[in-house]
Amino acid sequence: MSRLSQYSFISSNLKAKISKILSEDYIQKLVDAPNINAALLLLKDTDYEFLNPLYEQTADINSCEIALFEKDIDLHKDVIKKLSKVAKNFCETLTLKYEIDVLKQAIRLWFDRVVRGRDISKNTLYLYRETIVHKLPIDLIVNAENFSSVINCLKGHIYYKTLKDLNIEDIELNSIYIIEFALDKLYFTNLIEATNTLTSKDKKVALNYIASVIDIENLNRVVRLKHYYNFKNEKIKTNLLPGGNKITEKSKFLQGENEFNLFEFVQKEMPEYSPLITSTSTLLVLETIIKALKRRFVSKVLCGDPWTIGILFVYFIDKKEEIEKIITILNAKNYNLNYDRIKELV
Amino acid sequence: MIRTSKMILLSAVVLGKYSELITKQLLKLGQLDFISVKEMSPEISDSIKSINTEYSPSKLSDMRREVEGFILSAGLKLPEHVEIEKYNFDIEKIKNIETVIEEIEVSLENIRLKQKNNQRDILRLKEIQKQLEGSKENVSFLQIRSGFLEGTYEEILEQLRVYQCVALKTVDANQYIIINLKRDSEKIDEVLSNFNWSKVSQTNNDNITSINVKIDKHIDVLKINQTELVETLKNKIKSYESQLDEMWKTLNLSEKFFSMQGFFNKTDKTYIFSGWIPLRSKKIICDTILKTCNNDCYIEWTTADQATKAGIIPPVELETPKLLKPFEKVIVNYQTPEYGTLNPTYITAITFLIMFGMMFGDVGHGAVIAITGLIGLIVTKGKNSLMSLLIYCGISAMFFGVLFGSYFGWSWFPAVWFNYHGAVAGGHTSGPITSIMQILALTVWLGVGTICLGMIFYWYNCIVKKRWFNLITDKNGLAGATMYIAGVYCAYIYMTTNSFSNINWNIIAPFFAVPGVVFFVKLIIEAMHNNADGKFHFGEIPLIIMEWFIELLEVFSGFLANTLSFLRVAGLGIAHVSLMTAFFYMADMFGTSTVLNTIGYSAMIIIGNILVIGLEGLSAGIQTLRLHYYEFFGKFLIGGGTIYNPIKIK
């Protein structure tokens, strides 16, 4: 099957959908809306019109959030349906991200209940229980007595081996960070492996995409581990996901006992992004850089060969960003955050 | 009409006591596009103050949208008629509105809380149901028990609501089935003991089905509750209907009123404001202000030329009759013309329709497009200008259809101009054009005409803006035009005689050489202008020669491409005919010998027509737009204008 016949339909289909993504002006209108009802009314003539009747009926922002999560997954499934066999397998692996997110959430609830002794009754109501790629025993995980039981519930699942090898004591005493890290690592390993089924052109684009995402994940980790836990470089290196391009354990700024500073890092390693730094807050700068990195990938793909898997990534990135913005705005409106704060978040 | 509307700048000083009346009158007239007095006259900015109100226009806008939210979510309609004279813009009124909005919010909050709890109850029940399904597979986290409780059902439910727990009523009023997750057992026991729990029997998995049915019923009740709550919420809002109506009108007017007053500046006793109006409205505005202030005011007028010299750029109003508004949108979508230049709306209406009609000339297809536009216009209540454009395009296609003698692809009547189908597909031809080559030539001439028209408009714009240098030296100016006309002449001679030898080069060569020299001189003058010392540096000669060479290449290739681009008019027209012909061939394959064949024949003709109308209509529309944006507007439309945007009630 030629690349042209493989991607001609899906490429134009997705480009048409991309053109319908809410513009910055529209997002600004949502930010300007005086309350959540006004914001939802604005969404009436968009892809998100289902939110208005849902909120009207339930007045429950969490239900809207879960509906948006479902919409995001459906978008993936919808695209997968239109793909050829070759790209299908890779894109299904891409969808594992959502499954892993749900799994992490379930494990987090188990941890909160068993280790931290918290009441999780309200949170379990909004756990996504539908099958994304595999049927997960969500309730068994949440209600498990200890971590061994959590692992046992996952017997036969692709996550079993990864979690079985973890140090149980560490988890039950400290945090679930190592579980989340192991799951992320598994996801990216699977994703890289899945690129082998793609054509050489698609494989190149896909590996480029994965490396960009890993870079973003790693940058996020480096900043947060430094910012919140003051980790030493050696420890940070063990917490990096393999497969990145710019941010790897071999990166200069992680050698020796160099003090990591995001502002300096951007100036030295990504000078093209330094004009974007307008805030003094590390986390805001991090968000800005992450957005810019994603934008760069998107524009690179859009300027390049139109008959590759790249268009799928662009669509997923843009759509996810749009959904995230809507969730942020609706939540902010629901909790009456002030205008400047919402602007900052969006 | 030919140019953008003439504007005039009004500056007025009125006594403070008239400020409200003046604002109302100006708002009613809706003609003034305000500018900041402080920016216009910075020298007086220290001696005048801005007017600060407790409610800024943006705050009022927020409040208005909040009220709008209530009105729309209750399924009510926004009020339409607003009479400004009746309104009294006092802050107390707006404060009162703010209080009412809060009051409505509070009353709705209660209902929303009930909705939220109701939704959580539904989710809780569904989760328990899921766990019950697990019970069948012997993986249960549920504890199911039956017993008596003292207290009202609501009280019990309220305390149990925080956990994953269901309390189902049985036939006996005080007997309940309690289903909860084992992980919450201890906490549930505590709650139950508050209601003197006494256990009566052990419920086992045998009656899970009946429990499930009970939960289903419970969910149904909650869903009914949910619908009722939505209705309650709507009714609650509706109970404020007349108030909301009044509030919206007040806020809408206040927003505009205070936006306008935001442009007013004051001294101790006077108010100063300034703004642009179309020259034609000068008298009415002047009379209104004088009448409102009992002649007790000072008005100063500044012409657009004087203002431009002072660095204040007038806004642009394209004075277009309502009927031609869709074409104005086509232009503004490209760029807002510069103030004082040509208003291309009228000529665009003509060229747009000619090009579309030539590409899509068919009476039947045009009628379908026009009817679609008409229906769209009715459905959108006249708000979608694209629908009006569809009607125009449809009528144009019908007109050209008559000229080409094409009726749904058939030639029911003889062509008035020439038979397009005959010229393309062979067979019966009539009129002056009988072959594809002639159609192509016709569209090239159409291109030459359009490009020349564009250049004439450019000269006109240069003359009215006194840009003499551009008029002479630009690609679209006299130099470029001379070269273009000479090029067209050469091409014409070559095409008609198949040889360049029939061209009298002694006459034609200067038509190429002189503009070439003009372009070169232009580059030298521009280089001098760009140099800080204003002198020409000989070291720049190689660069200028290079630029000159590229410019000449660009002029030649650009004009050639622009002209040939019009071949698409023929291309689309030919495709239109060819597609119809192909469908006719396919239909003929069915024949009409039997009923079934006739059905097949008719279906093929109908499908063919639908496809041609859909595909060709869209293509013709896009190509017409493209020809205007790239080949026509690009020749003369100097953009950069700011659209005239007066503050008005609607």
Side-chain angles (χ1 to χ4, degrees), chain A residues 169-199:
Chain A
E169 269 183 30
D170 244 19
I171 291 156
E172 294 198 343
L173 288 172
N174 295 311
S175 74
I176 56 160
Y177 175 76
I178 51 168
I179 304 176
E180 294 186 331
F181 181 62
L183 288 172
D184 286 339
K185 218 168 160 177
L186 174 75
Y187 167 67
F188 285 109
T189 313
N190 277 343
L191 206 56
I192 292 170
E193 217 173 88
T195 58
N196 290 329
T197 57
L198 297 172
T199 59

Side-chain angles (χ1 to χ4, degrees), chain B residues 459-521:
Chain B
W459 304 343
Y460 177 82
N461 283 344
C462 285
I463 291 167
V464 295
K465 296 308 262 182
K466 297 187 174 100
R467 291 177 184 146
W468 310 115
F469 183 71
N470 297 77
L471 173 68
I472 296 166
T473 63
D474 266 5
K475 180 186 165 189
N476 298 322
L478 293 171
T482 312
M483 223 174 221
Y484 180 60
I485 299 293
V488 170
Y489 171 75
C490 292
Y492 174 71
I493 297 291
Y494 179 77
M495 292 304 287
T496 48
T497 63
N498 221 4
S499 160
F500 281 116
S501 58
N502 293 318
I503 297 167
N504 186 342
W505 289 106
N506 291 332
I507 296 174
I508 286 299
F511 283 90
F512 287 107
V514 175
V517 174
V518 171
F519 288 143
F520 191 75
V521 174

Side-chain angles (χ1 to χ4, degrees), chain A residues 35 37 56 63 129 143, chain B residues 66 112 115 119 127 183:
Chain A
N35 54 32
N37 293 302
E56 201 176 82
S63 291
R129 289 179 167 85
N143 292 299
Chain B
E66 221 161 321
R112 286 200 185 114
Q115 283 183 298
Q119 168 72 357
E127 195 180 341
R183 66 176 191 232

Side-chain angles (χ1 to χ4, degrees), chain B residues 365 579-580 583 586-587 590 599-615:
Chain B
H365 296 168
L579 270 176
M580 277 318 298
F583 281 111
M586 281 151 77
F590 283 101
I599 292 171
Y601 177 87
S602 312
M604 189 48 71
I605 295 290
I606 291 168
I607 291 168
N609 273 292
I610 291 172
L611 276 174
V612 169
I613 293 169
L615 290 174

Side-chain angles (χ1 to χ4, degrees), chain B residues 101-147:
Chain B
I101 291 176
E102 269 170 35
E103 187 190 310
I104 300 175
E105 273 295 349
V106 170
S107 64
L108 296 185
E109 201 47 52
N110 229 346
I111 303 170
R112 286 200 185 114
L113 190 68
K114 282 183 190 165
Q115 283 183 298
K116 209 183 284 182
N117 284 335
N118 199 75
Q119 168 72 357
R120 287 195 174 154
D121 286 344
I122 292 174
L123 292 174
R124 196 169 289 127
L125 286 169
K126 284 185 175 168
E127 195 180 341
I128 294 283
Q129 266 188 329
K130 281 225 166 92
Q131 302 295 346
L132 281 171
E133 278 167 29
S135 300
K136 286 176 194 165
E137 295 156 18
N138 292 326
V139 214
S140 176
F141 300 105
L142 291 179
Q143 181 180 23
I144 305 168
R145 45 195 153 156
S146 179

Side-chain angles (χ1 to χ4, degrees), chain A residues 15-46:
Chain A
K15 275 187 180 162
K17 283 182 180 171
I18 290 169
S19 71
K20 278 176 78 184
I21 281 175
L22 300 181
S23 66
E24 282 302 313
D25 286 350
Y26 212 99
I27 296 290
Q28 183 58 45
K29 273 189 196 167
L30 290 176
V31 174
D32 289 342
N35 54 32
I36 186 166
N37 293 302
L40 287 166
L41 278 173
L42 277 171
L43 289 171
K44 233 176 173 179
D45 294 323
T46 69

